Amino acid sequence: MHSFELDKKDVQKVKAALAEGQDAIETLLRDYHPSEIAILFEGLEKEEREVIINLLDSAQASEVLSEMAEETHPEELLLNLDPEKRTGIVEELDYDDATDLISQLDKEEQNEILDELNEEDASHIRSLLNYPEDTAGGLMNTRVIKIPAVLYKKDAIDEIIRQSEDMEEFYTVYVVDQKDIFQGIVSLKDIIKSRPEARIADLVVKDAVFVHHDTDQEEVARLISQYNLSSIPVVDQHMKLLGRVTFDDVIDVLEEENTEDILKISGVSEDEELSGNWKEAVKSRLPWLVINLGTAFLASSVVRYFEPTIARIAVLSAYMTIIAGMGGNAATQALAVTVRRISLYDLTDNQAYRTVLKEFTVGLINGAVTGLIVFLFALFFDMNTMLGVVIFLAMTGNLIIAGVTGAGIPLVLKRVGIDPAIASSIIITTFTDVFGFLFLLGLASQLLL
Amino acid sequence: MHSFELDKKDVQKVKAALAEGQDAIETLLRDYHPSEIAILFEGLEKEEREVIINLLDSAQASEVLSEMAEETHPEELLLNLDPEKRTGIVEELDYDDATDLISQLDKEEQNEILDELNEEDASHIRSLLNYPEDTAGGLMNTRVIKIPAVLYKKDAIDEIIRQSEDMEEFYTVYVVDQKDIFQGIVSLKDIIKSRPEARIADLVVKDAVFVHHDTDQEEVARLISQYNLSSIPVVDQHMKLLGRVTFDDVIDVLEEENTEDILKISGVSEDEELSGNWKEAVKSRLPWLVINLGTAFLASSVVRYFEPTIARIAVLSAYMTIIAGMGGNAATQALAVTVRRISLYDLTDNQAYRTVLKEFTVGLINGAVTGLIVFLFALFFDMNTMLGVVIFLAMTGNLIIAGVTGAGIPLVLKRVGIDPAIASSIIITTFTDVFGFLFLLGLASQLLL
């Protein structure tokens, strides 16, 4: 079995069926899982999506909407449906998914949808809308299986079956007291295995991992990953059980966090939507480029200082680009390895120290090897041994700076509590530019003039 | 509840207890979850880890070993235990975790451990050692709950309870025929809810998602994430059920793949271990730096071509560094956004075309804005309007090149079936260096001499 990928052939089949009429498209859609239809939607026009959503039953339509990529704007599709259809779909959605969709709309549109719902669903969703998106409360689903600790085996099983009626899947049963205060967890397996006269209170695992509603989503993801949990209970400040976050939400969070890391290290604001338009992209990237321009002026002031040297030995400007470019790339290498390492593991002071030392050694060796190549080039092409020596030394020195700053700066940032990924390549390459020019032009002024 | 992080205070407490003696350390360890002990190990010496592992019972020790970070080398810790203790621990491990550990050892050491095990465990692990690490077979656990489709409700539940005796958790029950051929899945909930005379064959969900043992791990991760599965069955070519891959293994795969993406885009070999020593780092990065050196010679040959111009207007070399540096960073921005977008979504031809168009626009605007700043600098600092115009045009042109190549090259690579992350910043910055110098020095030769 292969994961479903957007394929032109599938899209064309759907478009052909749409042209043919309702029967054709209904027959065709039977071959696709809702999460596959959600992917197909990426290849279809807005109007085509509307036709298809209207042909699906509420259960299928709700699954499609909850699986659609953000960039295909499922919330707009939902908003444009006629009210009755829409209410049916929202009632089928899990509360967390419904909240995610509705939160993308403005207040007025939110109320338009919520006012049509039954009171219970509406109040569940309204309360979820209050939690910030990136907290456990914003991620959680309020539909859980929860049973009172006082129940006996038989009643507990009946209660679990009753509660699981409208749930697709559940992994763990949560145990509460009379006031809904979280007591612990119990597995369905342990209930079934127990003696007939067993009470839930005897079976409950009390030191279960849980989070508060305001716990940051990264923390929730780390806990689920660290303790291999399929779901984690969410409680309020009085330990009242509010809901649960499941592993599939956490997989989404991890993808999101990884996107942020890769963007920040490349000097892109973490908020830039990957599929955003050019206006958003300019807003997200221009500030970084202006910062970069400031640091570039700094590096170019070094070059200006040595202008007389360059005027006399113009070929230095050709080597300048090589030394600076190599330094920038070596720094990016050290930066990527270090930032990723920090985000996966915690490093002790000793490990941090050894990391910088390692990058010093790597810079020394890579600098010497590539410096030697450029030395030989200067020797045979420019017929100038001393020029070669200057370049060799500048390259080696700059690659050492690259390694030490590429690893050292994110480690220092982490130590003082700043996100290390902010040490983007833009910041790091300033060091390698400035030092690269200083080494090359400074040595040239001393040794070649 | 907070996720457990390595804390000097915890490490010191453990070291103090170790110095005090066996009772003190045993008392202290009771406060920690095995996955927390695994993290504590990162702050301890090899000998201290050995003392602690020997004090834990087999169940706890096996959990600690399976949660230890690769860089702390759990397999060596296992190897150094006395044979009896070691056998007890391996027997407690899930087969997939045992295989992961043992696969890190050389053949002789593997046999030393496997020969001590009971025949069943040894043969399970030996067969798992044959699957490549990055396939479903390499990820799977052979311990599953599987029941024949012919069973009636009562016998099925008894069988599930029997099989789940030595399993910590299970999420789905797999259904097979008499020859172990995979038939589908059934949830424990549905079995319990069914009438007493129900047969499993009536309850089984037949179109369950499954994978073959040789399916790539990225594909397994995508399926689990796409269909929100807590586990996925693994079958051989005859549809015989071999095992299952669970969501927690997939979370690890996602972290791994994301590390590879961030490394490749930064010009680091995907195989470099984050905590590897300097020799591994040199081996992984030097080849990329040599490639970069080749492309840097290309860029510097443009500069050489214009050497007479630079000799006459030496200040151009100061602006060269600005234009090239800005181009490189703008290209890295466009590259990061595009590579990440490709790895999360599939883009149609139309979307790919619009992405390049968007980056053209972003480059035009960011280039014009930053170009204007540098123009003003040239005007007021160097008092040279025409120089300012040349720089403005070169900056704008180069940031357009940056956007178009940063987005276009990974999209083209993806289209022809090459991993788009290979379009690392090293490749992309060659374009911005070459075109930046061409624009700046070419225009200067025409307009300023």
Side-chain angles (χ1 to χ4, degrees), chain A residues 138-371:
Chain A
L139 276 182
M140 76 182 172
N141 190 336
T142 47
R143 265 181 203 155
V144 298
I145 307 279
K146 62 176 179 189
I147 55 174
V150 295
L151 290 191
Y152 286 91
K153 174 176 179 173
K154 168 84 180 61
D155 294 336
I157 292 180
D158 289 348
E159 181 62 22
I160 290 168
I161 290 178
R162 196 187 62 73
Q163 289 185 26
S164 65
E165 203 58 60
D166 57 349
M167 281 176 86
E168 235 179 272
E169 245 185 307
F170 70 97
Y171 310 103
T172 313
V173 176
Y174 297 146
V175 181
V176 292
D177 70 6
Q178 300 91 308
K179 287 177 176 159
D180 249 14
I181 301 300
F182 179 67
Q183 303 288 306
I185 61 172
V186 63
S187 73
L188 182 53
K189 178 188 90 180
D190 285 340
I191 301 177
I192 294 168
K193 277 167 67 175
S194 65
R195 291 159 299 111
E197 69 277 16
R199 278 177 69 190
I200 295 305
D202 309 325
L203 303 172
V204 62
V205 178
K206 285 199 171 143
D207 61 347
V209 179
F210 63 88
V211 289
H212 287 277
H213 62 87
D214 55 358
T215 303
D216 185 85
Q217 62 173 3
E218 285 190 53
E219 183 66 17
V220 177
R222 261 195 294 270
L223 282 166
I224 284 208
S225 158
Q226 187 167 313
Y227 298 98
N228 295 338
L229 306 170
S230 53
S231 73
I232 196 167
V234 182
V235 299
D236 71 7
Q237 63 273 43
H238 309 296
M239 288 296 288
K240 196 178 146 194
L241 181 66
L242 299 174
R244 61 170 186 160
V245 177
T246 50
F247 71 91
D248 48 313
D249 299 315
V250 156
I251 289 180
D252 297 340
V253 169
L254 285 175
E255 292 285 12
E256 199 183 304
E257 300 288 341
N258 285 316
T259 298
E260 286 182 13
D261 265 8
I262 227 172
L263 293 189
K264 272 188 285 188
I265 205 179
S266 308
V268 178
S269 151
E270 59 183 299
D271 302 324
E272 179 171 335
E273 260 191 64
L274 295 181
S275 61
N277 62 21
W278 63 265
K279 277 178 224 154
E280 289 173 44
V282 168
K283 212 175 111 195
S284 136
R285 300 184 209 166
L286 187 53
W288 281 106
L289 288 176
V290 171
I291 292 174
N292 181 38
L293 188 55
T295 67
F297 274 119
L298 187 70
S300 81
S301 69
V302 176
V303 179
R304 270 175 192 274
Y305 179 80
F306 290 106
E307 231 179 82
T309 311
I310 296 168
R312 286 180 57 189
I313 316 170
V315 73
L316 280 175
S317 59
Y319 286 108
M320 266 169 53
T321 69
I322 295 178
I323 304 285
M326 291 290 285
N329 281 310
T332 304
Q333 290 178 331
L335 179 69
V337 171
T338 309
V339 165
R340 191 64 192 155
R341 186 155 174 228
I342 293 174
S343 93
L344 289 179
Y345 309 104
D346 283 301
L347 302 187
T348 59
D349 286 344
N350 184 30
Q351 284 172 319
Y353 169 73
R354 274 185 292 168
T355 302
V356 175
L357 201 69
K358 163 186 141 184
E359 292 298 343
F360 178 94
T361 314
V362 174
L364 176 67
I365 295 172
N366 286 346
V369 173
T370 53

Side-chain angles (χ1 to χ4, degrees), chain B residues 225-282:
Chain B
S225 159
Q226 188 167 312
Y227 297 98
N228 295 337
L229 306 170
S230 51
S231 73
I232 196 166
V234 183
V235 299
D236 71 7
Q237 63 271 42
H238 308 298
M239 287 298 288
K240 195 178 149 197
L241 182 65
L242 300 173
R244 60 168 185 159
V245 178
T246 51
F247 71 91
D248 48 312
D249 299 316
V250 155
I251 289 180
D252 296 340
V253 169
L254 285 175
E255 293 285 13
E256 198 184 304
E257 300 289 340
N258 285 314
T259 298
E260 285 182 15
D261 265 8
I262 223 171
L263 293 189
K264 273 189 284 188
I265 206 179
S266 307
V268 177
S269 151
E270 58 184 300
D271 302 325
E272 178 172 335
E273 258 190 67
L274 295 181
S275 60
N277 62 21
W278 62 265
K279 277 179 224 153
E280 289 174 45
V282 168

Side-chain angles (χ1 to χ4, degrees), chain B residues 8-180:
Chain B
K8 253 187 280 181
K9 265 180 280 170
D10 285 304
V11 172
Q12 279 160 0
K13 260 197 284 179
V14 172
K15 283 184 186 265
L18 278 167
E20 225 179 289
Q22 188 168 334
D23 282 356
I25 185 73
E26 278 185 336
T27 311
L28 183 64
L29 286 177
R30 264 181 235 131
D31 296 343
Y32 295 104
H33 185 277
S35 74
E36 294 167 350
I37 298 178
I39 292 174
L40 273 178
F41 272 16
E42 291 170 32
L44 297 176
E45 300 304 319
K46 212 175 132 199
E47 296 71 30
E48 295 168 328
R49 293 177 197 155
E50 284 184 19
V51 172
I52 291 176
I53 277 288
N54 273 310
L55 289 177
L56 298 173
D57 66 37
S58 301
Q60 287 175 306
S62 70
E63 263 196 84
V64 173
L65 284 168
S66 65
E67 291 293 327
M68 278 171 69
E70 261 181 54
E71 60 173 1
T72 54
H73 295 290
E75 74 282 2
E76 287 173 14
L77 189 53
L78 180 70
L79 191 67
N80 291 336
L81 293 172
D82 69 72
E84 199 179 329
K85 178 94 192 172
R86 192 165 63 190
T87 305
I89 290 175
V90 175
E91 282 172 357
E92 283 285 341
L93 280 168
D94 281 344
Y95 290 137
D96 58 339
D97 293 329
T99 308
D100 286 347
L101 282 179
I102 293 174
S103 68
Q104 301 298 315
L105 300 168
D106 63 36
K107 263 273 163 280
E108 204 171 314
E109 294 165 335
Q110 290 184 358
N111 286 328
E112 191 186 326
I113 294 180
L114 290 170
D115 290 345
E116 293 154 8
L117 293 179
N118 66 58
E119 216 166 296
E120 193 198 339
D121 285 351
S123 88
H124 264 287
I125 294 171
R126 277 187 210 281
S127 75
L128 284 178
L129 281 170
N130 289 326
Y131 295 106
E133 225 186 323
D134 56 355
T135 63
L139 276 182
M140 75 183 174
N141 190 335
T142 46
R143 264 182 204 154
V144 298
I145 307 278
K146 62 176 179 190
I147 54 175
V150 295
L151 291 190
Y152 286 92
K153 174 176 178 173
K154 169 85 181 58
D155 295 335
I157 291 180
D158 289 347
E159 182 63 21
I160 291 169
I161 289 177
R162 195 186 62 74
Q163 291 185 23
S164 65
E165 203 60 59
D166 57 348
M167 279 177 86
E168 235 180 274
E169 245 185 306
F170 70 97
Y171 310 102
T172 313
V173 175
Y174 297 145
V175 180
V176 291
D177 70 5
Q178 299 92 308
K179 287 177 176 159
D180 249 15

Side-chain angles (χ1 to χ4, degrees), chain B residues 355-421:
Chain B
T355 301
V356 175
L357 201 68
K358 164 185 141 185
E359 293 297 344
F360 178 94
T361 314
V362 174
L364 176 66
I365 295 172
N366 285 346
V369 173
T370 53
L372 189 67
I373 298 175
V374 189
F375 165 80
L376 292 172
F377 185 85
L379 198 64
F380 291 109
F381 196 80
D382 288 318
M383 313 275 192
N384 188 335
T385 313
M386 210 47 182
L387 176 65
V389 171
V390 164
I391 290 162
F392 173 83
L393 292 175
M395 181 76 94
T396 310
N398 202 26
L399 262 59
I400 291 174
I401 295 284
V404 171
T405 53
I409 292 180
L411 284 167
V412 169
L413 288 178
K414 168 79 181 178
R415 194 66 20 134
V416 298
I418 299 174
D419 181 352

